[in-house]
Amino acid sequence: ENTTAPTTMVAKASTGSEASKSITAWEALFIHLISMLGLALALWMAHSVYSIDLISDPSGTLFQLWVMETPILVLLYSRYRQNPQQCSYLKAVGRGILALPVGALLNALGAIALGAPVGIQYLKKTINWSLMMSLLTTVPATSVFGSSWTNWQRVFANTRFIGSVDYMISIPAHGAVIGAWFGAWPMPLDWERPWQEWPICVSYGAIAWIPGWINCIIWICT
Amino acid sequence: MGIWWRSGSGGGGKWVYIWPMWVTMILHVLAILIFTRGFLLTRTELPYYSNCSDISESPCFSYTTPSSSSPNHSQSGTNSSDRACWTKPIVNRLVIIVLDALRFDFVAPSTFFKEPKPWMDHLQVLQKMASTNGSSARIFKAIADPPTTSLQRLKGLTTGGLPTFIDVGNSFGAPAILVQNGKRVVMMGDDTWMQLFPQHFEKSYPYPSFNVKDLHTVDNGCIDHLLPSLYEGDWDVLISHFLGVDHAGHIFGVDSTPMIEKLKQYNLILEKVIKALESQSGPGGLHENTFLVVMGDHGQTLNGDHGGGSAEEVETSMFAMTFKKPPSSIPSELDSSSCGLDLDGKNLCVSSIQQLDFAVTMSALLGIPFPLGSIGRVNPELYALGSGSWNLEGSQIENDQKQSELEKWMENYVNVLCVNSWQVKRYIDIYSASSVVGFSNEDLLHISSIYAQAEENWSNSTKILLLDRNRGNSTLMPVLKRQVDAYLNFIATVAELARSKWTEFDLRMMGIGISIMLISFIFQIIAIKWVDKQYSISVPSPGDSAIFSGSMFTYFVVAMRACSFLSNSYILEEGKVANFLLATTGVVKLRYSIMKGKMLLEGVMFLFLSTFCRFAIEVGLSKQSATSAFMKEFTSGILNIVSGLPLWMYITEVVPMLIMILLAYLLYKATARSSIEGLWKCVILGSILSYMLIAVHWASESNVLGLALPFEGFGRNYIPRIIYVVTLGQLFLLAFGQLFSGENPVDWNKSLVTKTVAMVSAWSSTAILLSGKQGPMVALASTIGAYCILRLDNIEEDAKNKTGGSLRISPFPVMQWSLLAVCLFFSTGHWCAFDGLRYGAAFIGFDEFILVRQAILLTIDTFGFSIIIPTFGLPFLALYRYFSCRDNRGKNLLFMQLSQAYTMYGLITASTVTFTIICVTIQRRHLMVWGLFAPKFVFDAVGLILTDIFICLASLYYFG
């Protein structure tokens, strides 16, 4: 499906809009390394400066994560915005930041439909977790595509990728969601470990995919 | 096409389509029956109990001394102690202090164990008494029979019987016998006692036991009433049940500060109790002849768990103390104690006792009839402790008299054992005569021969020797010892046999059951594949990769759900797991509909529906888990605040009625649109009428609306009854129509729609009524859910516009259908345990209890929305797909799809049940087997059989 079908669809999908800027595998690797470094830095800072981690203070750590990672991802991905002529870099950055709460709302609704606990004591955790998920899923896509429905549909639902940027948007996003989904499985077990609390293992599941970002490079190369 | 095809198009050929379902049903019933026989331990509780006068049937000496009642025993209500009874009362008053989950090492000194642990040696008063008072106080290691849960253990302690999963009938335990024999029982503490013996206590101070987080309420209640009661004379038996140690274990574990604090607190209380008893134990005092027992009902693991059969859980301790001087020793053959030095270097002996023996030993000491169902023996050491007052009147003991004193004790003990053996034999005889699942003939013969031997010995030698005391004493002791051995041997054989019959699983039967289940599983898969093959002959369907990946995902989800039953945690949270999977399928479908760019609304609606289900399930779960006291307080707090507002009252009263009217309107629209006529129309109009009646019924019940209906009081029972009658009439009409409408409809498709709508609507009114005010909401939710599933399933067809759309039933919507049904089960406030049944629903419209009628209503309430309606509604799935293709292949194709849809639905249900069965087999020794796995198994098995039955009924009905 990936080899023949997309090529025919490429023409159809990309007719109205200008194709996004294509990037090389090295550049993709570079971007991923920077964003991973950002995450690692955020985790490290949380651990050594504020001496918190996901287990002891999930909402604080998640807050640390998305606050530090948002500028990195938005600034990086906005460089690869579509229609760079009509859309300035600043606009791309702006819409990326705007996508953060909107995506968070979607993620939170999804999580609640799947059974995330609701209540005052979980409010802070859920907000921070969904902001982090939004950062991993919607923010890069919004920076690149804006509100172009066809592109969103193409990348997230049809998974028909045109440029390497599409891979870099879609694969980490899918990975984060699927990782978080699997991360929820240990939650009902009666092991009574602190990490079984919402949203710790779900966050672990989402973050666990991050080394898998390297896969994008392989996808792009092949 | 071949022969099969032709026979299918012939008249009366519906069996061609439906035989796999019937075969599956037979296989399932067989598998479940065989497995259940091996797994569920059942024992019939006999409706008889022991009476004082029964002793005349036994060969033993009965006790008759009308004059021997001691002065402080001559209180009111002791008239019964004046007549002949089983054994001589030795103890007048009994104080039983139950410390829940008392581990053996809480009581025994740490010197008895490899290394001292922080939780040991805190009940020092018991150790001190056992070491200094020598033979008048003793520590026992009491061994319980699993399951080690409080309710089962209390039953075991009071009846002396072995626990089983299903006790058919009522239990006539010791408290009942005590009451019959004029003993007055006072109870304080754990309210589990009140569940077991609701009206047997003279006075009771029950405290709720469910709140595990509360360490003190029950204990403080006990303390408040225990010490004052010790200075009162208006009771004969006092039971005080402390729960703190159990709760501390559950929350903090054994090695924790709260646990140690609890133990220290108990030490202080026990010190006071012993002091109070001792101070009144002088001649003529209240407690001259009182026996104190401090015991655990079961042990606990270091994590505070109990329920299973591990050594830590079954080994609990018992401390018994008398305030009179006991006999100096008992024959060494009967002494099981092991002695060691305690912390102060004093000698301390610890004996061992089966918990089973407690009930008879206490009965023997109190001189009341032994519980009928007891298979325990009178424990010599515990009995000896109590029998201190035995024949000691005034006589000073000299050395050579010691021998005769021991002899006298033995004489008495032999007679007690004689009564004991006779009672056990009688129980076995009565039990095997009246129970279906009795013992095998060889076993009975074996028991009888041992008993006959012991009995012969008794009648021919011992009894004569005892009667003829004047002969030389030298031969008496060995004879007595031999007799005791014979009796103990008999009782031990019976107990061993009973354990193997009542508490052991029949692995062979279970294996056969599982194998049949697996065979039926494979059969269903083959049946589906077989129908698939027929398709490929009849309709060349394009191999669609989307369908393929859809079915892969389906297998994954079904397998995931099935495997989740291997863990007790997931079974506990089954509703949430089902909803998680339902929402996941919703997300996948939403993504798919985004891909296709349409039916977004349905996709989003389905997700919102699953969110609604999720909250409904959570409300249900909060009712279930007694431990989540917080949630309870939280919700009830909110409800309290809100329910004060009149607006809220109106909303809760009015909204269900409005939804009811909406449902009636929807049904009306459906009939009007599709021009249903004749008999079917009658049936559907009947449902609409029922809906309106339900709304009227609720309106007449509500006190908020203040509708003074003309038939107030009349409506409470009569409207529900009218609805039941209407439902019965509808079902009768449908069956009638099925039997006698001979003509072949022109449009099979339309006829099937009509039939399905009629059938579902006929069942729905009763289901809604029984579900109560949540019913309309659930009905609306299931309608919306079904609609979304159908619409989303047909994205593909609409896209391809009736050309080559796949006619094959995709497993994905069938799985969604099944998951939705499971979610509805949990969102209607049910869960897989017997306390999850909504007993109130069985009494809607009826006040008195008639087993069959109420059982049917309860079944409809429990499985109405989760089995009956989904099964009868399943044709929609085949129909909707079929609408796109109207050609001459009509009937055959339609029925083939329908048959496949039903087989798939059955397969999905069977897959989860198969895993449940495998799981209970693996976990049969798990500590939660009786608390969690067995009820889950029963619910699943009943659900599976019901699903099969309804599938078969539906197949008869729909494949006309």
Side-chain angles (χ1 to χ4, degrees), chain A residues 103-131:
Chain A
L105 188 68
L106 287 179
N107 273 300
L109 283 180
I112 287 168
L114 285 160
V118 180
I120 300 295
Q121 73 269 41
Y122 295 109
L123 188 66
K124 226 174 119 190
K125 294 178 191 171
T126 309
I127 288 176
N128 281 309
W129 173 83
S130 49
L131 283 167

PDB file of all heavy atoms in Angstrom, chain A residues 103-131:
ATOM      1  N   GLY A 103      -5.396  20.845  21.187  1.00  0.00           N
ATOM      2  CA  GLY A 103      -5.043  19.425  21.142  1.00  0.00           C
ATOM      3  C   GLY A 103      -5.174  18.788  22.511  1.00  0.00           C
ATOM      4  O   GLY A 103      -5.586  17.629  22.635  1.00  0.00           O
ATOM      5  N   ALA A 104      -4.820  19.576  23.539  1.00  0.00           N
ATOM      6  CA  ALA A 104      -4.925  19.043  24.902  1.00  0.00           C
ATOM      7  C   ALA A 104      -6.368  18.697  25.218  1.00  0.00           C
ATOM      8  O   ALA A 104      -6.649  17.660  25.832  1.00  0.00           O
ATOM      9  CB  ALA A 104      -4.393  20.059  25.897  1.00  0.00           C
ATOM     10  N   LEU A 105      -7.281  19.555  24.786  1.00  0.00           N
ATOM     11  CA  LEU A 105      -8.702  19.296  25.033  1.00  0.00           C
ATOM     12  C   LEU A 105      -9.120  17.985  24.369  1.00  0.00           C
ATOM     13  O   LEU A 105      -9.776  17.137  24.984  1.00  0.00           O
ATOM     14  CB  LEU A 105      -9.526  20.466  24.491  1.00  0.00           C
ATOM     15  CG  LEU A 105     -11.003  20.419  24.859  1.00  0.00           C
ATOM     16  CD1 LEU A 105     -11.165  20.635  26.341  1.00  0.00           C
ATOM     17  CD2 LEU A 105     -11.795  21.436  24.062  1.00  0.00           C
ATOM     18  N   LEU A 106      -8.697  17.804  23.109  1.00  0.00           N
ATOM     19  CA  LEU A 106      -9.050  16.570  22.402  1.00  0.00           C
ATOM     20  C   LEU A 106      -8.480  15.357  23.123  1.00  0.00           C
ATOM     21  O   LEU A 106      -9.161  14.348  23.331  1.00  0.00           O
ATOM     22  CB  LEU A 106      -8.516  16.616  20.965  1.00  0.00           C
ATOM     23  CG  LEU A 106      -9.251  17.552  20.021  1.00  0.00           C
ATOM     24  CD1 LEU A 106      -8.609  17.517  18.643  1.00  0.00           C
ATOM     25  CD2 LEU A 106     -10.715  17.154  19.925  1.00  0.00           C
ATOM     26  N   ASN A 107      -7.205  15.454  23.492  1.00  0.00           N
ATOM     27  CA  ASN A 107      -6.569  14.331  24.180  1.00  0.00           C
ATOM     28  C   ASN A 107      -7.259  14.023  25.499  1.00  0.00           C
ATOM     29  O   ASN A 107      -7.461  12.854  25.851  1.00  0.00           O
ATOM     30  CB  ASN A 107      -5.095  14.646  24.436  1.00  0.00           C
ATOM     31  CG  ASN A 107      -4.238  14.266  23.260  1.00  0.00           C
ATOM     32  OD1 ASN A 107      -4.192  13.101  22.879  1.00  0.00           O
ATOM     33  ND2 ASN A 107      -3.594  15.239  22.649  1.00  0.00           N
ATOM     34  N   ALA A 108      -7.603  15.080  26.226  1.00  0.00           N
ATOM     35  CA  ALA A 108      -8.256  14.860  27.527  1.00  0.00           C
ATOM     36  C   ALA A 108      -9.605  14.185  27.329  1.00  0.00           C
ATOM     37  O   ALA A 108      -9.945  13.245  28.049  1.00  0.00           O
ATOM     38  CB  ALA A 108      -8.424  16.192  28.252  1.00  0.00           C
ATOM     39  N   LEU A 109     -10.354  14.647  26.317  1.00  0.00           N
ATOM     40  CA  LEU A 109     -11.665  14.030  26.067  1.00  0.00           C
ATOM     41  C   LEU A 109     -11.505  12.559  25.707  1.00  0.00           C
ATOM     42  O   LEU A 109     -12.228  11.692  26.204  1.00  0.00           O
ATOM     43  CB  LEU A 109     -12.390  14.776  24.943  1.00  0.00           C
ATOM     44  CG  LEU A 109     -13.026  16.108  25.330  1.00  0.00           C
ATOM     45  CD1 LEU A 109     -13.695  16.734  24.116  1.00  0.00           C
ATOM     46  CD2 LEU A 109     -14.036  15.915  26.438  1.00  0.00           C
ATOM     47  N   GLY A 110     -10.517  12.291  24.862  1.00  0.00           N
ATOM     48  CA  GLY A 110     -10.269  10.900  24.479  1.00  0.00           C
ATOM     49  C   GLY A 110      -9.919  10.054  25.686  1.00  0.00           C
ATOM     50  O   GLY A 110     -10.430   8.950  25.874  1.00  0.00           O
ATOM     51  N   ALA A 111      -9.033  10.612  26.534  1.00  0.00           N
ATOM     52  CA  ALA A 111      -8.597   9.845  27.707  1.00  0.00           C
ATOM     53  C   ALA A 111      -9.772   9.586  28.637  1.00  0.00           C
ATOM     54  O   ALA A 111      -9.900   8.499  29.207  1.00  0.00           O
ATOM     55  CB  ALA A 111      -7.499  10.604  28.439  1.00  0.00           C
ATOM     56  N   ILE A 112     -10.651  10.576  28.769  1.00  0.00           N
ATOM     57  CA  ILE A 112     -11.793  10.388  29.667  1.00  0.00           C
ATOM     58  C   ILE A 112     -12.750   9.351  29.093  1.00  0.00           C
ATOM     59  O   ILE A 112     -13.294   8.522  29.817  1.00  0.00           O
ATOM     60  CB  ILE A 112     -12.487  11.742  29.922  1.00  0.00           C
ATOM     61  CG1 ILE A 112     -11.603  12.590  30.834  1.00  0.00           C
ATOM     62  CG2 ILE A 112     -13.850  11.554  30.555  1.00  0.00           C
ATOM     63  CD1 ILE A 112     -12.004  14.019  30.938  1.00  0.00           C
ATOM     64  N   ALA A 113     -12.910   9.376  27.758  1.00  0.00           N
ATOM     65  CA  ALA A 113     -13.765   8.345  27.153  1.00  0.00           C
ATOM     66  C   ALA A 113     -13.201   6.961  27.422  1.00  0.00           C
ATOM     67  O   ALA A 113     -13.934   6.001  27.622  1.00  0.00           O
ATOM     68  CB  ALA A 113     -13.881   8.576  25.650  1.00  0.00           C
ATOM     69  N   LEU A 114     -11.868   6.852  27.443  1.00  0.00           N
ATOM     70  CA  LEU A 114     -11.248   5.555  27.682  1.00  0.00           C
ATOM     71  C   LEU A 114     -11.179   5.204  29.156  1.00  0.00           C
ATOM     72  O   LEU A 114     -10.783   4.102  29.501  1.00  0.00           O
ATOM     73  CB  LEU A 114      -9.842   5.543  27.091  1.00  0.00           C
ATOM     74  CG  LEU A 114      -9.785   5.429  25.566  1.00  0.00           C
ATOM     75  CD1 LEU A 114      -8.447   5.897  25.052  1.00  0.00           C
ATOM     76  CD2 LEU A 114     -10.021   4.011  25.128  1.00  0.00           C
ATOM     77  N   GLY A 115     -11.519   6.145  30.010  1.00  0.00           N
ATOM     78  CA  GLY A 115     -11.599   5.778  31.419  1.00  0.00           C
ATOM     79  C   GLY A 115     -10.620   6.480  32.336  1.00  0.00           C
ATOM     80  O   GLY A 115     -10.393   6.011  33.447  1.00  0.00           O
ATOM     81  N   ALA A 116     -10.033   7.591  31.902  1.00  0.00           N
ATOM     82  CA  ALA A 116      -9.137   8.323  32.798  1.00  0.00           C
ATOM     83  C   ALA A 116      -9.947   8.841  33.982  1.00  0.00           C
ATOM     84  O   ALA A 116     -11.080   9.280  33.808  1.00  0.00           O
ATOM     85  CB  ALA A 116      -8.503   9.490  32.064  1.00  0.00           C
ATOM     86  N   PRO A 117      -9.376   8.782  35.179  1.00  0.00           N
ATOM     87  CA  PRO A 117     -10.161   9.204  36.337  1.00  0.00           C
ATOM     88  C   PRO A 117     -10.492  10.692  36.288  1.00  0.00           C
ATOM     89  O   PRO A 117      -9.715  11.501  35.787  1.00  0.00           O
ATOM     90  CB  PRO A 117      -9.262   8.873  37.523  1.00  0.00           C
ATOM     91  CG  PRO A 117      -7.908   8.732  36.969  1.00  0.00           C
ATOM     92  CD  PRO A 117      -8.053   8.301  35.556  1.00  0.00           C
ATOM     93  N   VAL A 118     -11.652  11.021  36.787  1.00  0.00           N
ATOM     94  CA  VAL A 118     -12.118  12.399  36.785  1.00  0.00           C
ATOM     95  C   VAL A 118     -12.324  12.820  38.236  1.00  0.00           C
ATOM     96  O   VAL A 118     -12.795  12.039  39.051  1.00  0.00           O
ATOM     97  CB  VAL A 118     -13.455  12.518  36.028  1.00  0.00           C
ATOM     98  CG1 VAL A 118     -13.944  13.951  36.032  1.00  0.00           C
ATOM     99  CG2 VAL A 118     -13.296  12.029  34.618  1.00  0.00           C
ATOM    100  N   GLY A 119     -11.945  14.016  38.536  1.00  0.00           N
ATOM    101  CA  GLY A 119     -12.134  14.494  39.899  1.00  0.00           C
ATOM    102  C   GLY A 119     -11.176  15.629  40.161  1.00  0.00           C
ATOM    103  O   GLY A 119     -10.210  15.840  39.416  1.00  0.00           O
ATOM    104  N   ILE A 120     -11.485  16.363  41.221  1.00  0.00           N
ATOM    105  CA  ILE A 120     -10.678  17.543  41.516  1.00  0.00           C
ATOM    106  C   ILE A 120      -9.215  17.154  41.711  1.00  0.00           C
ATOM    107  O   ILE A 120      -8.304  17.808  41.206  1.00  0.00           O
ATOM    108  CB  ILE A 120     -11.215  18.235  42.792  1.00  0.00           C
ATOM    109  CG1 ILE A 120     -12.666  18.664  42.601  1.00  0.00           C
ATOM    110  CG2 ILE A 120     -10.353  19.447  43.135  1.00  0.00           C
ATOM    111  CD1 ILE A 120     -12.886  19.708  41.556  1.00  0.00           C
ATOM    112  N   GLN A 121      -8.995  16.023  42.411  1.00  0.00           N
ATOM    113  CA  GLN A 121      -7.606  15.690  42.721  1.00  0.00           C
ATOM    114  C   GLN A 121      -6.811  15.252  41.488  1.00  0.00           C
ATOM    115  O   GLN A 121      -5.595  15.190  41.529  1.00  0.00           O
ATOM    116  CB  GLN A 121      -7.543  14.624  43.824  1.00  0.00           C
ATOM    117  CG  GLN A 121      -7.947  13.227  43.401  1.00  0.00           C
ATOM    118  CD  GLN A 121      -9.438  12.979  43.614  1.00  0.00           C
ATOM    119  OE1 GLN A 121     -10.261  13.839  43.339  1.00  0.00           O
ATOM    120  NE2 GLN A 121      -9.787  11.805  44.092  1.00  0.00           N
ATOM    121  N   TYR A 122      -7.520  14.920  40.391  1.00  0.00           N
ATOM    122  CA  TYR A 122      -6.819  14.508  39.180  1.00  0.00           C
ATOM    123  C   TYR A 122      -6.726  15.639  38.160  1.00  0.00           C
ATOM    124  O   TYR A 122      -6.093  15.484  37.133  1.00  0.00           O
ATOM    125  CB  TYR A 122      -7.535  13.330  38.534  1.00  0.00           C
ATOM    126  CG  TYR A 122      -7.529  12.090  39.371  1.00  0.00           C
ATOM    127  CD1 TYR A 122      -8.681  11.633  39.982  1.00  0.00           C
ATOM    128  CD2 TYR A 122      -6.345  11.373  39.574  1.00  0.00           C
ATOM    129  CE1 TYR A 122      -8.666  10.494  40.759  1.00  0.00           C
ATOM    130  CE2 TYR A 122      -6.328  10.245  40.354  1.00  0.00           C
ATOM    131  CZ  TYR A 122      -7.491   9.804  40.944  1.00  0.00           C
ATOM    132  OH  TYR A 122      -7.480   8.674  41.716  1.00  0.00           O
ATOM    133  N   LEU A 123      -7.401  16.746  38.452  1.00  0.00           N
ATOM    134  CA  LEU A 123      -7.536  17.801  37.443  1.00  0.00           C
ATOM    135  C   LEU A 123      -6.174  18.272  36.935  1.00  0.00           C
ATOM    136  O   LEU A 123      -5.910  18.295  35.734  1.00  0.00           O
ATOM    137  CB  LEU A 123      -8.337  18.956  38.041  1.00  0.00           C
ATOM    138  CG  LEU A 123      -8.715  20.046  37.043  1.00  0.00           C
ATOM    139  CD1 LEU A 123      -9.682  19.493  36.017  1.00  0.00           C
ATOM    140  CD2 LEU A 123      -9.314  21.241  37.745  1.00  0.00           C
ATOM    141  N   LYS A 124      -5.280  18.577  37.885  1.00  0.00           N
ATOM    142  CA  LYS A 124      -3.977  19.125  37.514  1.00  0.00           C
ATOM    143  C   LYS A 124      -3.192  18.120  36.687  1.00  0.00           C
ATOM    144  O   LYS A 124      -2.591  18.454  35.677  1.00  0.00           O
ATOM    145  CB  LYS A 124      -3.205  19.481  38.791  1.00  0.00           C
ATOM    146  CG  LYS A 124      -2.536  20.835  38.753  1.00  0.00           C
ATOM    147  CD  LYS A 124      -1.930  21.135  40.107  1.00  0.00           C
ATOM    148  CE  LYS A 124      -0.444  21.309  39.998  1.00  0.00           C
ATOM    149  NZ  LYS A 124       0.201  21.365  41.314  1.00  0.00           N
ATOM    150  N   LYS A 125      -3.232  16.871  37.129  1.00  0.00           N
ATOM    151  CA  LYS A 125      -2.483  15.825  36.421  1.00  0.00           C
ATOM    152  C   LYS A 125      -3.017  15.657  35.006  1.00  0.00           C
ATOM    153  O   LYS A 125      -2.251  15.562  34.050  1.00  0.00           O
ATOM    154  CB  LYS A 125      -2.610  14.498  37.169  1.00  0.00           C
ATOM    155  CG  LYS A 125      -1.945  14.502  38.519  1.00  0.00           C
ATOM    156  CD  LYS A 125      -2.172  13.173  39.208  1.00  0.00           C
ATOM    157  CE  LYS A 125      -1.744  13.262  40.655  1.00  0.00           C
ATOM    158  NZ  LYS A 125      -2.130  12.076  41.419  1.00  0.00           N
ATOM    159  N   THR A 126      -4.360  15.617  34.885  1.00  0.00           N
ATOM    160  CA  THR A 126      -4.942  15.403  33.564  1.00  0.00           C
ATOM    161  C   THR A 126      -4.586  16.558  32.639  1.00  0.00           C
ATOM    162  O   THR A 126      -4.228  16.346  31.479  1.00  0.00           O
ATOM    163  CB  THR A 126      -6.468  15.261  33.675  1.00  0.00           C
ATOM    164  OG1 THR A 126      -6.752  14.288  34.663  1.00  0.00           O
ATOM    165  CG2 THR A 126      -7.078  14.846  32.369  1.00  0.00           C
ATOM    166  N   ILE A 127      -4.651  17.779  33.163  1.00  0.00           N
ATOM    167  CA  ILE A 127      -4.343  18.939  32.315  1.00  0.00           C
ATOM    168  C   ILE A 127      -2.905  18.856  31.826  1.00  0.00           C
ATOM    169  O   ILE A 127      -2.628  18.968  30.622  1.00  0.00           O
ATOM    170  CB  ILE A 127      -4.584  20.249  33.104  1.00  0.00           C
ATOM    171  CG1 ILE A 127      -6.078  20.475  33.285  1.00  0.00           C
ATOM    172  CG2 ILE A 127      -3.941  21.427  32.387  1.00  0.00           C
ATOM    173  CD1 ILE A 127      -6.409  21.674  34.135  1.00  0.00           C
ATOM    174  N   ASN A 128      -1.983  18.590  32.745  1.00  0.00           N
ATOM    175  CA  ASN A 128      -0.581  18.556  32.337  1.00  0.00           C
ATOM    176  C   ASN A 128      -0.283  17.401  31.399  1.00  0.00           C
ATOM    177  O   ASN A 128       0.465  17.542  30.439  1.00  0.00           O
ATOM    178  CB  ASN A 128       0.320  18.470  33.575  1.00  0.00           C
ATOM    179  CG  ASN A 128       0.465  19.817  34.235  1.00  0.00           C
ATOM    180  OD1 ASN A 128       0.792  20.797  33.571  1.00  0.00           O
ATOM    181  ND2 ASN A 128       0.181  19.882  35.511  1.00  0.00           N
ATOM    182  N   TRP A 129      -0.929  16.265  31.678  1.00  0.00           N
ATOM    183  CA  TRP A 129      -0.701  15.115  30.800  1.00  0.00           C
ATOM    184  C   TRP A 129      -1.226  15.390  29.396  1.00  0.00           C
ATOM    185  O   TRP A 129      -0.557  15.119  28.408  1.00  0.00           O
ATOM    186  CB  TRP A 129      -1.405  13.885  31.370  1.00  0.00           C
ATOM    187  CG  TRP A 129      -1.360  12.719  30.447  1.00  0.00           C
ATOM    188  CD1 TRP A 129      -0.333  11.838  30.316  1.00  0.00           C
ATOM    189  CD2 TRP A 129      -2.355  12.332  29.503  1.00  0.00           C
ATOM    190  NE1 TRP A 129      -0.641  10.911  29.352  1.00  0.00           N
ATOM    191  CE2 TRP A 129      -1.873  11.191  28.835  1.00  0.00           C
ATOM    192  CE3 TRP A 129      -3.607  12.836  29.154  1.00  0.00           C
ATOM    193  CZ2 TRP A 129      -2.602  10.541  27.838  1.00  0.00           C
ATOM    194  CZ3 TRP A 129      -4.323  12.187  28.165  1.00  0.00           C
ATOM    195  CH2 TRP A 129      -3.827  11.055  27.516  1.00  0.00           C
ATOM    196  N   SER A 130      -2.423  15.980  29.317  1.00  0.00           N
ATOM    197  CA  SER A 130      -2.986  16.187  27.984  1.00  0.00           C
ATOM    198  C   SER A 130      -2.219  17.268  27.238  1.00  0.00           C
ATOM    199  O   SER A 130      -2.098  17.199  26.011  1.00  0.00           O
ATOM    200  CB  SER A 130      -4.483  16.513  28.062  1.00  0.00           C
ATOM    201  OG  SER A 130      -4.699  17.511  28.998  1.00  0.00           O
ATOM    202  N   LEU A 131      -1.657  18.228  27.983  1.00  0.00           N
ATOM    203  CA  LEU A 131      -0.816  19.219  27.299  1.00  0.00           C
ATOM    204  C   LEU A 131       0.423  18.542  26.714  1.00  0.00           C
ATOM    205  O   LEU A 131       0.833  18.829  25.583  1.00  0.00           O
ATOM    206  CB  LEU A 131      -0.419  20.331  28.268  1.00  0.00           C
ATOM    207  CG  LEU A 131      -1.525  21.350  28.537  1.00  0.00           C
ATOM    208  CD1 LEU A 131      -1.186  22.218  29.727  1.00  0.00           C
ATOM    209  CD2 LEU A 131      -1.764  22.210  27.312  1.00  0.00           C
TER     210      LEU A 131
END
